[in-house]
Amino acid sequence: MISSVKHSSAAIGITDLVPRGSPSVRPQMASIPLISATKGPNLSLAIRKPLYLASPEGFGFGSRDGFMSAAEPRGFALRCGAYEADRSDSVEISHQETRSAASQKVKIGIYFATWWALNVVFNIYNKKVLNAFPYPWLTSTLSLATGSLMMLISWATRIAEAPKTDFEFWKALAPVAVAHTIGHVAATVSMSKVAVSFTHIIKSGEPAFSVLVSRFLLGETFPVPVYLSLVPIIGGCALAAVTELNFNMTGFMGAMISNLAFVFRNIFSKRGMKGMSVSGMNYYACLSILSLLILTPFAIAIEGPQMWAAGWQTALSQIGPHFIWWVAAQSVFYHLYNQVSYMSLDEISPLTFSIGNTMKRISVIVSSIIIFHTPVQPINALGAAIAILGTFLYSQIAVDAGDGCFTAQERVSMFVPSK
């Protein structure tokens, strides 16, 4: 930054400030504070460079060992000169800030592109597996088991730093894991019964559940625009549901239960995990491990090894060895896309993340319709567009009310990704 001073009258005088015979003082070398451009009747100041006051040597004062001392006083006709600092420091800092901002934008762009791509790939392979192997409880278990194994290996080999946790952390995480498990399985059940696009259209109604649960169960209040943003969400989801060609009640209820479960997961996370410092990636890893321990006995009890063995043989006979790749891919990509989304929460604001989450859902819906040749009526597409638009408006309004007031942990709990 550059500063210059113009004075319409005499140069700056400091007579009477240092009387003859005054004791030794340190030289006055200081920058004038940076202020905005000001104009007055006798003074015109424009910010251009830092301005420094020079030592008044030769005007009655001498310098000795860093101190000013009186030497051959010549009266009080003393003037103080000024000089401008070298602009190279400010220019270098400006370039560094520009490069840092540019690299941050590139980093966020890579996060978003990777997040969307991994999510699309996961949904495609997940639907292929469920079409050939309709056992959502085992499919959900394999997804959590693969992610948990990947993180345990990462911690053991020090690829990733293991989190420092205690009993209180796991105790607070337990209700979060229960809700996460229910939401994860319910979403998988939904995808096993209906089209991927329909599941995600219903999933876009999650903000409505969040507001209604917070209002009627927790007693929280929201600004009027938040309630108004729910109208297109609910209306769009309803329109898409009644016009869905391959409607299935089990698939519809699975998506609705998943919405409700993820709302409680976020509430439990925000309240129970407050003040616990764990990175987004490790937070999700711990959540996956605990959810796996909760889900495994229920999966065995509801479906069981006998059903899995029979279904596995049927899938292999129909699909061939490619089926094994599908199962591995959907399990790995499920963990990776969630891991990247949690990592992005450490880098961006809630508002930016909410926009990215909306765009992710659009990319999944469009890609699944194209890949699986899902028949879509114009009225059905209109309902989906209205619901997603409402979700986007809700995220804008809700986050604007508190953007900048959330900690990293609160970002994880409030905007934690869902299927």
Side-chain angles (χ1 to χ4, degrees):
M1 192 167 291
I2 304 172
S3 301
S4 64
V5 176
K6 297 179 181 179
H7 201 289
S8 60
S9 59
I12 301 175
I14 57 170
T15 56
D16 301 328
L17 294 179
V18 186
R20 184 177 304 175
S22 60
S24 298
V25 295
R26 293 183 179 274
Q28 300 300 310
M29 183 71 71
S31 62
I32 294 180
L34 298 178
I35 58 175
S36 58
T38 308
K39 289 185 178 180
N42 297 319
L43 179 65
S44 175
L45 176 65
I47 295 179
R48 300 183 63 188
K49 277 188 178 180
L51 186 65
Y52 294 91
L53 299 180
S55 170
E57 292 188 57
F59 292 97
F61 288 84
S63 175
R64 183 175 64 246
D65 299 329
F67 290 88
M68 300 297 297
S69 60
E72 299 181 4
R74 300 178 184 177
F76 293 97
L78 178 66
R79 297 185 182 278
C80 179
Y83 68 94
E84 291 177 330
D86 182 14
R87 72 180 65 185
S88 60
D89 290 342
S90 60
V91 172
E92 182 179 353
I93 293 174
S94 177
H95 287 328
Q96 290 177 350
E97 291 177 350
T98 302
R99 287 194 297 268
S100 177
S103 62
Q104 182 69 8
K105 290 181 180 179
V106 172
K107 186 177 182 181
I108 293 174
I110 293 174
Y111 270 134
F112 273 8
T114 306
W115 175 23
W116 297 342
L118 292 173
N119 191 263
V120 168
V121 173
F122 157 72
N123 279 275
I124 292 171
Y125 280 110
N126 183 245
K127 184 59 177 175
K128 284 186 174 184
V129 169
L130 292 171
N131 285 341
F133 184 75
Y135 297 97
W137 287 81
L138 177 60
T139 304
S140 301
T141 304
L142 291 176
S143 299
L144 294 175
T146 302
S148 300
L149 180 62
M150 291 171 62
M151 287 308 301
L152 289 174
I153 294 175
S154 298
W155 293 337
T157 57
R158 299 187 181 276
I159 295 176
E161 183 179 356
K164 297 179 180 179
T165 60
D166 53 18
F167 176 76
E168 291 300 322
F169 172 83
W170 293 100
K171 180 181 177 181
L173 189 64
V176 182
V178 171
H180 177 75
T181 303
I182 296 173
H184 175 47
V185 174
T188 308
V189 170
S190 176
M191 289 188 183
S192 69
K193 299 295 183 180
V194 296
V196 175
S197 57
F198 181 70
T199 298
H200 277 272
I201 292 171
I202 302 304
K203 290 286 294 173
S204 66
E206 186 175 325
F209 284 85
S210 179
V211 172
L212 295 176
V213 168
S214 299
R215 177 67 184 88
F216 293 107
L217 294 184
L218 304 179
E220 298 181 5
T221 58
F222 300 89
V224 174
V226 172
Y227 295 109
L228 294 178
S229 69
L230 301 183
V231 175
I233 295 176
I234 298 174
C237 288
L239 182 61
V242 299
T243 59
E244 174 65 25
L245 294 176
N246 299 314
F247 180 83
N248 179 279
M249 182 57 70
T250 302
F252 175 75
M253 291 305 299
M256 296 288 280
I257 293 172
S258 178
N259 281 340
L260 188 61
F262 282 137
V263 166
F264 279 104
R265 176 193 64 179
N266 295 350
I267 292 174
F268 293 148
S269 182
K270 184 179 179 181
R271 293 192 169 191
M273 305 302 296
K274 189 174 183 180
M276 298 186 181
S277 179
V278 177
S279 68
M281 181 178 66
N282 285 334
Y283 177 87
Y284 177 71
C286 295
L287 185 62
S288 296
I289 294 172
L290 193 53
S291 294
L292 174 63
L293 297 177
I294 296 171
L295 176 59
T296 301
F298 287 96
I300 295 174
I302 294 173
E303 292 177 346
Q306 292 183 349
M307 296 179 64
W308 294 339
W312 190 270
Q313 291 298 325
T314 302
L316 283 176
S317 63
Q318 293 177 350
I319 307 299
H322 290 294
F323 173 71
I324 299 176
W325 159 249
W326 291 357
V327 174
Q330 73 93 27
S331 301
V332 171
F333 283 111
Y334 172 77
H335 175 78
L336 290 179
Y337 101 77
N338 275 288
Q339 185 182 71
V340 171
S341 63
Y342 274 81
M343 290 170 63
S344 68
L345 280 165
D346 292 334
E347 303 291 336
I348 60 179
S349 70
L351 180 59
T352 304
F353 182 84
S354 65
I355 295 173
N357 198 35
T358 302
M359 299 303 297
K360 177 215 72 175
R361 204 170 292 283
I362 294 175
S363 64
V364 171
I365 292 173
V366 173
S367 61
S368 65
I369 290 174
I370 295 173
I371 292 173
F372 294 108
H373 305 288
T374 306
V376 179
Q377 297 181 11
I379 190 68
N380 185 260
L382 177 62
I386 293 174
I388 293 174
L389 176 62
T391 304
F392 178 76
L393 294 176
Y394 166 83
S395 65
Q396 298 282 306
I397 296 169
V399 180
D400 280 343
D403 193 17
C405 302
F406 304 121
T407 64
Q409 187 61 46
E410 289 174 328
R411 293 177 185 178
V412 171
S413 64
M414 294 176 61
F415 298 93
V416 62
S418 60
K419 254 188 176 178

